Amino acid sequence: MGYQPKHGAAGGAGDHLPRLHSPRVGVGVGVGGSMTRRANSFKRCPGGEIELQITGSPRSPRTDALGSPPSDAAEPSSSSSSAYAVGGGHQQQHLRFRLFKRPGSGGGAGEVVLGLGIRERRKLGNLLFFAFCGVCLLLGVGKIWAGGRSALPAGDDLQDLSTSFSDKGHHHFGYVGGKESDRMLMTVESSIGERQGSVGEASDVWSQPSSANFRQCIVSNSHKKQDSRTNGYILINANGGLNQMRFGICDMVAVAKILKATLVLPSLDHTSYWADDSEFKDLFNWRHFIESLKEDIDIVETLPPAYKQIEPMAKAPISWSKVNYYRDEILPLLKKHKVLYFTHTDSRLANNELPSYIQKLRCRVNYRSLKYSHTIEDLGATLVSRMHQDGSPYLALHLRYEKDMLAFTGCSHGLTSDEEEELQKMRYEVSHWKEKEINGTERRSMGGCPLTPRETSLLLKGLGFTRSTRIYLVAGEAFGNGSMQALLDDFPNMYSHSTLATEEELEPFKNHQNMLAGLDYSVALQSDVFMYTYDGNMAKAVQGHRRFEDFRKTINPDRMDFVNLVDEFDEGRIPWEKFSSEVKRLHKDRIGAPYFREPGEFPKLEESFFANPMPGCICEKHSEQ
C-alpha cells in the first residue's frame, strides 16, 4: 500500500469531500437583459471641441458576492461558473473622445481636422469602440496572467478570496471579490509554489514573530569535565509520558553534573496511562546521546560489574529543587552508597535561579542530545514533506480532547449526560487523581478546560484560517459521539500520522505510543504554525523547542476570554464580524514572540523552563551571556 495524498478526516475514512471552496454568493446572478448599443453621435462643446459619445458599452463583469460568516466557503451558483454575471440590470457608461480643431482655424465645420461625413463618422466611432474593447481585453488577460504567476495582490483590491487546490495539479475556479472594476473570474493552479497566500488565508495567519534581535546561547566553556573520576552512579526511572520523561532526563543530566556522578542510560516508565514498553534505545539515538555529552558527564549503558552487586539506595528528589539541595543532601548519600536510584524525575529541578551553565546544559540535552531514533526521525521527515505538498503551509493542532483529559479536568461542555457520567466514573476510579467533585461549567468559564473541537474550529476561523488550511492533528481519539464533526466540516483537510503514513511505514510503531508521540512531536515542531488547545507536557515541549528554533509561530489560546466570547456569539449577542475581530485582538500577542520568563511566587505556578527557555538558552544579540 503506497502513500496517496487525500483530503479527509483524520482517521482515514477516505470520504471525498467537496473540493471547490468559493465564497457564497448571496444574491442571484445572471445577465440582467440583452445588451444594446445606441448609434454613435457627435456633440459640439464650448472651446471648439467635438465630443464623440458611445453609450451602452460593456463593463467589467460584476457580481455582489455576500459572504456568510462564520462559514468560509460555499459552492458557487451554477450560472456564475458559466457566464459573466451582471448585477443591477442595464448598466450604461459614457466614453468620451474629444476631437480638436486646428489651432487658429475658423469655426466652420469644413475646418475641423477630421472633416468627415456622417457615414465616415460612424465608421470612426466603431473603430474607436473596438480599439477600446481590444485594449481592455489585453489588460484583463495581462492581469489574469500576472495574478496566476505571482501571489494575488493584497489590500483593498482583494477583499474576499477563496481558491481550491488539487493534490494532482488540476485547475479549479475561484471568485475574486473586491472593487467593482477589479472583479473577475480567475483560474488558479494548485501547483503554486509560493507559500505566502497559497491557500487564500489572510497573509498574517502564516506570518512569524520577529526574532531578529535574539540568538541561541547554549555553549558554555566553563565547568567542563576535567577527568573521569566519579562520586558514584545514578540510576533513573523517567516517569510519565514521552515529554515528561524528556524533561526529566534533561534534569537528571544536570543533576549528574552537579554531583559529578556517572549516569546510567535512563530506563523509561512502563506503568503510565499508555503502558508502553518502549525503551530509551527505541525512542532516542542513544549513541549520539552519550557522545554529545561526553565533555559534560560520563554516561554508560549499564552499571560496571563491580557495582552491580550493590543495592542502590532509592530516592525521590524533592520537586523544584536548586543546586544547594543536591550538593548538601544528595551528594553525601551518593558518596556513601555509591549507587542511587531516583524513582521519579519529573520537575526535580527549579525553573529559575540556577547557575547559567546548568541552564545551558539542560537546553543542550533537550535540543541537541535527545535526538529521536532514526526510525522516528526518518518517518517524521517524510510526513513533514507530505504536509508541505506543493509548497503549501500547514498548521499542527494539539487537540487535547481525549477521555482521560476530560475526566481529569471535569470538563464536559457540549457532551451528553451519559458521556458526562462516564467521565465522572473514570475520575473516581483513578485513585491518584485527587480532585473528584468538579464544577465543569465554572472551570470552563475560568479557562480551565480544553477547548472543544467546535470551539477550536471557531477559534481557527476567527483568526482567519480558511477551509483549505492543511492541518496535522496531534491528538489521541476525541471523546464524545460526533464531537469532531464540526471541526471536520469546517476544515476537511485534516491529517494525522495514521492517514499520512502507509501501514508498512507504521509497522515499527505498533503498540508503541511513545514512539508515535515522538513522531507527532517531529511533525509539530516543523509546522508553519503550531496551536494547542490545553496546557500539557506536549504543548510545553513543542512551544519551547519552537521558541529556541527562531521563535516559530505558536498560538497560545486565551481560553478564559475566548470561551466567554463563544457563549456571547452562540447566544446571538454579537455578530460574526465582531466575534472574529475580538478573537484577533485577544491573540495578537499570543503567537510565541520573544519575552523573558519570570520567577513566580510558587514554582508549581510559574512558567516552565522547557516552555520558554529565555533567559537561559536564548540571549539578546547585544548580550554576551
Side-chain angles (χ1 to χ4, degrees):
M1 168 182 169
Y3 164 68
Q4 296 180 343
K6 58 181 180 291
H7 294 264
D15 296 335
H16 295 283
L17 293 156
R19 301 300 309 275
L20 186 60
H21 314 311
S22 300
R24 178 175 288 121
V25 179
V27 294
V29 292
V31 178
S34 60
M35 301 188 68
T36 60
R37 182 164 57 88
R38 294 180 185 174
N40 305 323
S41 62
F42 283 87
K43 174 184 177 183
R44 293 186 179 276
C45 301
E49 299 176 357
I50 300 176
E51 182 176 270
L52 172 64
Q53 296 182 341
I54 304 175
T55 62
S57 62
R59 298 183 59 180
S60 298
R62 175 185 176 189
T63 303
D64 293 325
L66 302 178
S68 180
S71 291
D72 296 297
E75 297 301 322
S77 64
S78 59
S79 62
S80 66
S81 62
S82 59
Y84 287 109
V86 178
H90 296 282
Q91 302 288 335
Q92 294 186 342
Q93 181 175 354
H94 296 272
L95 305 175
R96 295 177 172 84
F97 298 85
R98 287 178 168 81
L99 306 178
F100 291 89
K101 299 192 303 179
R102 295 181 191 274
S105 63
E111 296 297 321
V112 178
V113 173
L114 298 179
L116 304 175
I118 297 299
R119 181 173 298 177
E120 286 78 10
R121 292 175 183 174
R122 289 181 176 176
K123 286 182 179 180
L124 175 61
N126 290 335
L127 287 173
L128 289 173
F129 169 74
F130 287 116
F132 171 76
C133 291
V135 171
C136 291
L137 180 61
L138 288 174
L139 290 174
V141 170
K143 186 166 184 178
I144 293 174
W145 179 82
R149 292 278 297 183
S150 60
L152 293 173
D156 295 336
D157 287 342
L158 294 180
Q159 297 173 350
D160 185 25
L161 170 64
S162 181
T163 58
S164 177
F165 292 88
S166 155
D167 286 338
K168 299 183 179 180
H170 296 156
H171 291 74
H172 296 277
F173 288 100
Y175 179 79
V176 180
K179 294 180 179 178
E180 291 181 10
S181 60
D182 290 337
R183 292 179 179 177
M184 66 191 71
L185 192 66
M186 298 186 67
T187 301
V188 183
E189 190 169 337
S190 71
S191 61
I192 291 177
E194 298 294 328
R195 289 172 60 173
Q196 57 180 12
S198 64
V199 290
E201 291 93 347
S203 60
D204 59 349
V205 300
W206 300 111
S207 63
Q208 299 296 314
S210 174
S211 59
N213 296 326
F214 298 89
R215 60 182 177 85
Q216 298 174 356
C217 51
I218 60 173
V219 177
S220 176
N221 294 320
S222 63
H223 297 82
K224 294 290 184 182
K225 186 181 66 173
Q226 300 298 321
D227 52 56
S228 58
R229 289 179 298 176
T230 181
N231 288 321
Y233 290 81
I234 297 177
L235 302 170
I236 68 170
N237 175 54
N239 61 299
L242 172 68
N243 294 289
Q244 183 172 305
M245 291 191 293
R246 186 184 183 102
F247 298 158
I249 292 168
C250 296
D251 287 353
M252 290 302 105
V253 169
V255 168
K257 179 74 172 179
I258 295 168
L259 300 176
K260 198 181 178 184
T262 300
L263 180 68
V264 178
L265 207 63
S267 63
L268 305 185
D269 187 358
H270 302 309
T271 62
S272 62
Y273 178 79
W274 297 111
D276 188 348
D277 62 357
S278 299
E279 297 293 351
F280 186 90
K281 293 181 179 180
D282 297 318
L283 289 174
F284 301 105
N285 185 333
W286 65 277
R287 288 189 176 89
H288 173 77
F289 178 71
I290 294 174
E291 178 68 19
S292 63
L293 293 169
K294 66 181 182 180
E295 293 186 359
D296 294 291
I297 65 169
D298 286 321
I299 304 174
V300 295
E301 285 189 68
T302 59
L303 279 173
Y307 290 83
K308 286 186 177 179
Q309 304 305 318
I310 299 176
E311 182 70 24
M313 179 187 178
K315 179 74 175 175
I318 296 175
S319 299
W320 293 293
S321 295
K322 297 179 182 177
V323 170
N324 288 344
Y325 165 77
Y326 286 97
R327 286 179 176 165
D328 297 343
E329 298 191 32
I330 302 299
L331 182 57
L333 294 175
L334 177 64
K335 290 181 174 180
K336 177 181 179 180
H337 296 277
K338 295 302 179 184
V339 181
L340 293 183
Y341 171 53
F342 290 154
T343 58
H344 292 75
T345 61
D346 57 310
S347 305
R348 304 298 147 163
L349 265 182
N351 291 309
N352 303 291
E353 299 178 4
L354 293 175
S356 174
Y357 77 94
I358 291 296
Q359 298 290 56
K360 293 178 188 297
L361 177 57
R362 294 168 90 185
C363 285
R364 287 202 302 277
V365 179
N366 198 20
Y367 305 134
R368 296 292 184 261
S369 300
L370 280 177
K371 293 179 63 176
Y372 286 116
S373 65
H374 292 303
T375 302
I376 295 173
E377 286 208 336
D378 290 348
L379 184 55
T382 298
L383 300 191
V384 169
S385 176
R386 290 171 185 171
M387 286 303 300
H388 271 149
Q389 178 180 286
D390 297 329
S392 58
Y394 73 93
L395 176 144
L397 174 63
H398 186 40
L399 185 68
R400 296 305 311 271
Y401 209 68
E402 300 93 341
K403 181 179 179 180
D404 62 315
M405 176 55 66
L406 296 179
F408 175 74
T409 57
C411 299
S412 57
H413 179 74
L415 299 175
T416 65
S417 57
D418 289 342
E419 290 167 342
E420 185 175 359
E421 289 178 9
E422 187 177 346
L423 294 176
Q424 187 177 40
K425 180 182 178 182
M426 181 180 186
R427 185 163 64 253
Y428 275 91
E429 288 175 349
V430 180
S431 58
H432 61 272
W433 291 353
K434 304 303 181 185
E435 199 173 8
K436 302 300 182 181
E437 289 295 327
I438 301 174
N439 185 328
T441 302
E442 181 179 310
R443 174 162 290 186
R444 175 178 175 271
S445 68
M446 297 298 292
C449 286
L451 296 183
T452 70
R454 176 180 176 269
E455 289 168 344
T456 302
S457 176
L458 289 173
L459 175 57
L460 288 171
K461 291 196 296 182
L463 289 171
F465 291 96
T466 66
R467 182 178 175 84
S468 58
T469 301
R470 295 170 66 83
I471 298 177
Y472 184 86
L473 191 62
V474 182
E477 182 180 358
F479 181 73
N481 184 29
S483 60
M484 285 290 292
Q485 198 57 51
L487 180 59
L488 292 173
D489 286 345
D490 291 333
F491 296 94
N493 298 328
M494 190 85 64
Y495 303 89
S496 68
H497 56 248
S498 61
T499 61
L500 278 177
T502 66
E503 290 182 7
E504 292 79 8
E505 289 171 331
L506 290 175
E507 183 63 31
F509 296 81
K510 281 188 175 179
N511 302 319
H512 293 284
Q513 291 296 329
N514 283 328
M515 290 181 68
L516 287 172
L519 183 64
D520 285 344
Y521 183 104
S522 299
V523 182
L525 177 64
Q526 297 297 327
S527 65
D528 298 87
V529 175
F530 174 64
M531 188 178 91
Y532 57 93
T533 61
Y534 192 70
D535 301 310
N537 289 316
M538 171 70 90
K540 291 175 184 176
V542 174
Q543 71 170 305
H545 203 156
R546 289 172 67 87
R547 287 181 189 277
F548 183 75
E549 298 293 348
D550 207 23
F551 295 94
R552 296 173 180 170
K553 187 170 186 176
T554 298
I555 300 173
N556 169 21
D558 182 343
R559 291 191 302 274
M560 183 174 72
D561 286 343
F562 175 71
V563 297
N564 292 323
L565 195 63
V566 169
D567 291 343
E568 288 186 54
F569 175 69
D570 287 343
E571 293 165 7
R573 287 186 280 155
I574 56 173
W576 173 258
E577 291 77 11
K578 176 68 173 176
F579 175 86
S580 179
S581 175
E582 282 296 295
V583 168
K584 292 181 177 70
R585 183 188 64 80
L586 285 175
H587 295 92
K588 64 183 177 66
D589 295 324
R590 303 177 71 94
I591 59 173
Y595 66 86
F596 286 94
R597 186 187 68 260
E598 295 182 358
E601 186 175 356
F602 301 103
K604 190 173 183 178
L605 300 179
E606 66 187 7
E607 185 175 24
S608 166
F609 171 79
F610 294 107
N612 182 11
M614 187 175 85
C617 305
I618 304 171
C619 302
E620 293 181 275
K621 284 189 174 178
H622 65 263
S623 172
E624 296 299 325
Q625 293 182 352

